[in-house]
Amino acid sequence: MPLDPHLLAAFTVATIVAMLAPGPDMLFVLSCGMRGGPRAGLLATAGLATSEAVHVLVAAAGLSALFTAVPEAFVVLRVAGAVYLGWLGVRMIRRRGEVLSEKPGATGRRAYLSGFLTNLSNPKMIAFSVAFLPQFVDPARGSVWAQFAVLGAVLIFLEFLIDGAVGVGAGRIGSWLRQRRTLSRRIDATTGGILIGLGVRLAVER
């Protein structure tokens, strides 16, 4: 086994605790599930997991040094993510109450892409992969790439287990609520407000 079992156990526990605390990822998956149903919630989770894989690859390749050498790159990425979330929120509020079941494929693709782009520019995820992941890697045990691969696999598994369950559960509740037209509009308005709030939070975080 490439990883020290004690380090792996510590990483798993720490990651579970971090994921259970409501944050941007969980709120985003929750909003997608409420508006688009279980499939949208699950695909939003898949988008988050894909971006996490990218973050792990970047950390393993040592490209995270870019943010140390050029701090402005981190700021630009954070602001871009904030603007994107704000745009999603405004768009959702303006289109509140629209029937989404007419184009389920488009809804699913949009949830996946939004999840991917949102998490890709999440400063906490960047900090997690740059500063947190390497703490559980021991070069003395062999291939660093293999150790990052194990950590990444655990991270993605837990993402689907925790946020995926949140997205599917929210989707089941949302499917019932969306049958009520007034409630549907309120769900969309609330979801849009959550996304705008997440964008503001992303912009001001350091």
Side-chain angles (χ1 to χ4, degrees), residues 8 22 42 44 58 62 65 72 80 91 97 127 130 138 141 143 148 150 155 157 165 175 196 204:
L8 180 59
L42 193 57
V58 168
E72 293 79 7
R91 183 172 182 270
V130 171
D138 183 4
R141 293 187 65 89
S143 173
F148 268 105
V150 172
L155 179 64
F157 171 76
S175 296
I196 293 173
V204 302

Short mmCIF file of all heavy atoms in Angstrom, two decimals, residues 8 22 42 44 58 62 65 72 80 91 97 127 130 138 141 143 148 150 155 157 165 175 196 204:
data_model
loop_
_atom_site.label_atom_id
_atom_site.label_comp_id
_atom_site.label_asym_id
_atom_site.label_seq_id
_atom_site.Cartn_x
_atom_site.Cartn_y
_atom_site.Cartn_z
N LEU A 8 -3.71 7.64 6.08
CA LEU A 8 -4.92 7.48 5.28
C LEU A 8 -6.16 7.59 6.15
O LEU A 8 -7.15 8.24 5.77
CB LEU A 8 -4.90 6.14 4.55
CG LEU A 8 -6.12 5.83 3.67
CD1 LEU A 8 -6.27 6.89 2.59
CD2 LEU A 8 -5.98 4.45 3.03
N PRO A 22 -21.69 22.25 6.40
CA PRO A 22 -22.28 22.90 5.22
C PRO A 22 -21.35 23.95 4.64
O PRO A 22 -20.90 24.86 5.33
CB PRO A 22 -23.56 23.52 5.77
CG PRO A 22 -23.89 22.69 6.97
CD PRO A 22 -22.55 22.33 7.58
N LEU A 42 -27.24 14.68 -8.55
CA LEU A 42 -26.15 13.72 -8.69
C LEU A 42 -25.13 14.18 -9.73
O LEU A 42 -23.92 14.02 -9.54
CB LEU A 42 -26.73 12.35 -9.09
CG LEU A 42 -25.77 11.15 -8.97
CD1 LEU A 42 -25.25 11.03 -7.55
CD2 LEU A 42 -26.47 9.88 -9.40
N ALA A 44 -24.51 17.30 -10.54
CA ALA A 44 -23.78 18.42 -9.95
C ALA A 44 -22.64 17.87 -9.08
O ALA A 44 -21.52 18.40 -9.10
CB ALA A 44 -24.71 19.29 -9.12
N VAL A 58 -3.28 18.60 -10.34
CA VAL A 58 -2.47 19.82 -10.32
C VAL A 58 -1.52 19.81 -9.12
O VAL A 58 -0.33 20.14 -9.24
CB VAL A 58 -3.38 21.07 -10.27
CG1 VAL A 58 -2.56 22.32 -9.95
CG2 VAL A 58 -4.10 21.26 -11.60
N GLY A 62 2.74 19.52 -9.05
CA GLY A 62 3.51 20.63 -8.52
C GLY A 62 3.17 21.96 -9.15
O GLY A 62 3.84 22.97 -8.90
N ALA A 65 2.57 25.59 -7.38
CA ALA A 65 3.60 26.60 -7.11
C ALA A 65 3.28 27.90 -7.85
O ALA A 65 3.77 28.97 -7.47
CB ALA A 65 4.96 26.09 -7.56
N GLU A 72 -1.53 36.82 -7.99
CA GLU A 72 -2.63 37.40 -8.75
C GLU A 72 -3.45 36.33 -9.48
O GLU A 72 -4.65 36.51 -9.72
CB GLU A 72 -2.09 38.41 -9.77
CG GLU A 72 -1.46 39.65 -9.16
CD GLU A 72 -0.05 39.42 -8.65
OE1 GLU A 72 0.50 38.32 -8.89
OE2 GLU A 72 0.50 40.33 -7.98
N ALA A 80 -13.31 35.16 -10.90
CA ALA A 80 -14.02 34.56 -12.03
C ALA A 80 -15.09 33.59 -11.54
O ALA A 80 -16.21 33.56 -12.05
CB ALA A 80 -13.03 33.84 -12.95
N ARG A 91 -29.65 34.51 -13.25
CA ARG A 91 -30.36 33.81 -14.34
C ARG A 91 -31.48 32.94 -13.78
O ARG A 91 -32.57 32.88 -14.34
CB ARG A 91 -29.35 32.96 -15.10
CG ARG A 91 -29.90 32.22 -16.31
CD ARG A 91 -28.74 31.58 -17.06
NE ARG A 91 -29.20 30.89 -18.25
CZ ARG A 91 -29.57 29.62 -18.28
NH1 ARG A 91 -29.54 28.90 -17.17
NH2 ARG A 91 -29.97 29.04 -19.41
N GLY A 97 -39.65 29.41 -11.94
CA GLY A 97 -40.94 28.86 -12.31
C GLY A 97 -40.97 28.17 -13.65
O GLY A 97 -41.97 27.55 -14.00
N ALA A 127 -6.93 25.61 -1.80
CA ALA A 127 -6.10 25.54 -0.59
C ALA A 127 -6.02 24.12 -0.06
O ALA A 127 -4.96 23.68 0.41
CB ALA A 127 -6.66 26.48 0.47
N VAL A 130 -3.61 22.23 -2.33
CA VAL A 130 -2.25 22.76 -2.30
C VAL A 130 -1.60 22.57 -0.93
O VAL A 130 -0.42 22.19 -0.83
CB VAL A 130 -2.24 24.26 -2.67
CG1 VAL A 130 -0.88 24.88 -2.42
CG2 VAL A 130 -2.65 24.44 -4.13
N ASP A 138 3.92 10.82 2.00
CA ASP A 138 5.24 10.53 2.55
C ASP A 138 6.15 10.03 1.42
O ASP A 138 6.03 8.87 0.99
CB ASP A 138 5.14 9.47 3.64
CG ASP A 138 6.48 9.18 4.30
OD1 ASP A 138 7.48 9.84 3.95
OD2 ASP A 138 6.53 8.26 5.16
N ARG A 141 7.79 6.56 1.26
CA ARG A 141 7.05 5.33 1.00
C ARG A 141 6.96 5.00 -0.48
O ARG A 141 6.31 4.04 -0.87
CB ARG A 141 5.64 5.43 1.59
CG ARG A 141 5.60 5.48 3.11
CD ARG A 141 4.18 5.41 3.62
NE ARG A 141 3.56 4.13 3.30
CZ ARG A 141 3.62 3.05 4.10
NH1 ARG A 141 4.29 3.11 5.25
NH2 ARG A 141 3.01 1.93 3.77
N SER A 143 6.26 6.10 -4.64
CA SER A 143 5.67 6.98 -5.64
C SER A 143 4.72 8.02 -5.04
O SER A 143 3.70 7.68 -4.42
CB SER A 143 4.91 6.16 -6.68
OG SER A 143 4.21 7.01 -7.57
N PHE A 148 -0.94 10.36 -4.15
CA PHE A 148 -1.95 11.35 -4.51
C PHE A 148 -3.16 10.68 -5.15
O PHE A 148 -4.30 11.10 -4.94
CB PHE A 148 -1.36 12.38 -5.46
CG PHE A 148 -0.79 13.59 -4.77
CD1 PHE A 148 0.58 13.76 -4.64
CD2 PHE A 148 -1.63 14.56 -4.24
CE1 PHE A 148 1.11 14.87 -4.01
CE2 PHE A 148 -1.11 15.68 -3.61
CZ PHE A 148 0.26 15.84 -3.48
N VAL A 150 -4.35 7.69 -4.51
CA VAL A 150 -5.17 7.07 -3.46
C VAL A 150 -5.98 8.13 -2.72
O VAL A 150 -7.18 7.97 -2.49
CB VAL A 150 -4.27 6.30 -2.47
CG1 VAL A 150 -5.10 5.82 -1.28
CG2 VAL A 150 -3.62 5.11 -3.15
N LEU A 155 -11.14 10.95 -1.78
CA LEU A 155 -11.84 12.23 -1.82
C LEU A 155 -13.07 12.16 -2.71
O LEU A 155 -14.16 12.61 -2.34
CB LEU A 155 -10.87 13.31 -2.31
CG LEU A 155 -11.42 14.73 -2.44
CD1 LEU A 155 -11.83 15.28 -1.08
CD2 LEU A 155 -10.37 15.64 -3.08
N PHE A 157 -14.70 9.44 -3.74
CA PHE A 157 -15.67 8.49 -3.17
C PHE A 157 -16.52 9.18 -2.10
O PHE A 157 -17.75 9.04 -2.07
CB PHE A 157 -14.95 7.29 -2.58
CG PHE A 157 -15.84 6.38 -1.79
CD1 PHE A 157 -16.72 5.51 -2.43
CD2 PHE A 157 -15.82 6.41 -0.40
CE1 PHE A 157 -17.56 4.69 -1.69
CE2 PHE A 157 -16.66 5.59 0.34
CZ PHE A 157 -17.53 4.72 -0.31
N ALA A 165 -25.55 12.12 -1.76
CA ALA A 165 -26.76 11.80 -1.00
C ALA A 165 -27.59 13.05 -0.76
O ALA A 165 -28.83 13.01 -0.83
CB ALA A 165 -26.37 11.15 0.33
N SER A 175 -38.74 17.51 -6.30
CA SER A 175 -39.66 16.99 -7.33
C SER A 175 -41.10 17.13 -6.86
O SER A 175 -41.99 17.48 -7.64
CB SER A 175 -39.33 15.53 -7.63
OG SER A 175 -38.05 15.41 -8.18
N ILE A 196 -26.13 33.46 -5.57
CA ILE A 196 -25.58 34.82 -5.51
C ILE A 196 -24.80 34.99 -4.21
O ILE A 196 -23.69 35.56 -4.18
CB ILE A 196 -26.69 35.87 -5.62
CG1 ILE A 196 -27.32 35.82 -7.02
CG2 ILE A 196 -26.15 37.27 -5.34
CD1 ILE A 196 -28.55 36.70 -7.16
N VAL A 204 -15.15 37.43 -1.45
CA VAL A 204 -14.57 38.10 -0.30
C VAL A 204 -13.67 37.20 0.53
O VAL A 204 -12.95 37.67 1.41
CB VAL A 204 -15.64 38.70 0.61
CG1 VAL A 204 -16.50 39.69 -0.15
CG2 VAL A 204 -16.53 37.61 1.22
#
